[in-house]
Every structure is written in C-alpha cells, then in structure tokens.
Amino acid sequence: MTQAAAGAAIVLFVCTAAWWDATSGRIPNEITMTGLAAGLILRAPLGLEPFLRGLGGLGIAFGLAFVFYALRAIGGGDVKLLAGVGAFLGSGEIFGALGLIAVLGAIYALVVVGLRGLLPLLVFNTFELIKSWLSFGQDEPGRRLESPNALTIPYGVPIALGTLIWWFGEGVRL
C-alpha cells in the first residue's frame, strides 16, 4: 500500500511542480515543501533505514543542486524540487536519477532554445557561465537568472520527466 501511495504522490508532486514552472516560471514553496515532506512521511512507517535513505537522498540532491544554484545555473525552486525528489528516491537511487535529469535537461534546453531561435545566445551564455565557474565566481557572467530578458527554461519539466522515468523504469522501492 505504501509503495502505491508513493507512486501516486511522486507523480502528483513532480507533475504539479513541472506545470507551475512551465506556466509561471517558478515553483512555489508550497509544492516543493509538501513533496519533500511526503517523501519522508511515506518512508517513516517503513523503519529507520528507509527513512535515513530518504534523508540521504534529500541531502545529496540538495547539496549538488545548491552548487548549481550558487553558480546561477538553476533557480531556487529547482533546488527544492530536486531535494524533494531525493527524499522519494533515497540515497541509493538519486545519483542515477540526477544523471538522467541532467541529460534530459540539456536536451530540453537545446530544443526550447532552438525553437526560440536563440541557440547562439545559449552558446555565448554557456561560455560565460563556464568562465565564471573556472574563476570561482570572480569573473561574473554578464547575465544571471534574475537579469531582465534572461534566457531561462522551466527546468521543472525535465526534472519531472527524469524522475518519473527513473522511478517507474527502475522500479524504485521506498
């Protein structure tokens, strides 16, 4: 019963977040915090070890995503969404899911930017971001996520897609 509830909860969680991100360009805290709590609450009745794996997945996802947030590559809502995904997937599954999400995110970005006719701007901004990373933030990129007319994509969409493919494709168990 818990596994079925977890499957339904993760679908509702990531699809709601993706919809909000795609339609408004942000993911509300109410969605991310509710999803994060649901992931841990569903693990709690299964015992200490599954609960700790959920905390581990949350911590790993948050830590890695926060690095990209600090580098201004993703937004805060994406960080919290990934932390919630980590709570559901746990420490044993999060690395594979994050790899899949990264690949899907790159493909999604190329498609969205290509459809907007902004591929040269994406290439320029990517080089600026890498230059900033290599200088440990001392060489500030010209554009940021909060800049007017910043080139952004709703990353909640590939996060949701990658999460669901990993959850159902790998047969993730709490």
Side-chain angles (χ1 to χ4, degrees):
M1 177 65 171
T2 303
Q3 191 63 33
I10 197 165
V11 168
L12 181 63
F13 170 44
V14 297
C15 288
T16 303
W19 181 83
W20 270 92
D21 200 14
T23 58
S24 71
R26 60 181 301 273
I27 305 171
N29 288 338
E30 292 84 359
I31 294 171
T32 56
M33 294 299 110
T34 301
L36 191 151
L40 294 176
I41 288 168
L42 287 165
R43 285 178 169 277
L46 302 174
L48 183 60
E49 184 181 333
F51 184 77
L52 291 176
R53 282 195 314 266
L55 282 177
L58 183 160
I60 291 165
F62 179 82
L64 291 173
F66 189 79
V67 170
F68 287 97
Y69 173 76
L71 295 170
R72 298 175 189 92
I74 63 172
D78 300 323
V79 173
K80 292 175 274 191
L81 175 58
L82 287 166
V85 166
F88 272 96
L89 294 176
S91 55
E93 297 288 341
I94 193 61
F95 287 111
L98 289 174
L100 177 59
I101 289 166
V103 169
L104 292 174
I107 293 167
Y108 182 71
L110 288 172
V111 168
V112 169
V113 170
L115 291 173
R116 293 181 189 170
L118 299 172
L119 198 53
L121 183 59
L122 174 67
V123 172
F124 175 78
N125 286 347
T126 301
F127 282 121
E128 287 291 307
L129 188 62
I130 291 170
K131 194 166 81 173
S132 174
W133 291 351
L134 293 175
S135 70
F136 299 102
Q138 293 177 0
D139 187 15
E140 290 289 322
R143 291 182 185 258
R144 297 181 180 172
L145 290 175
E146 62 274 2
S147 298
N149 300 320
L151 180 59
T152 62
I153 65 161
Y155 200 61
V157 173
I159 292 172
L161 183 59
T163 299
L164 294 178
I165 289 171
W166 196 263
W167 180 270
F168 292 107
E170 293 293 317
V172 174
R173 312 273 316 154
L174 292 178

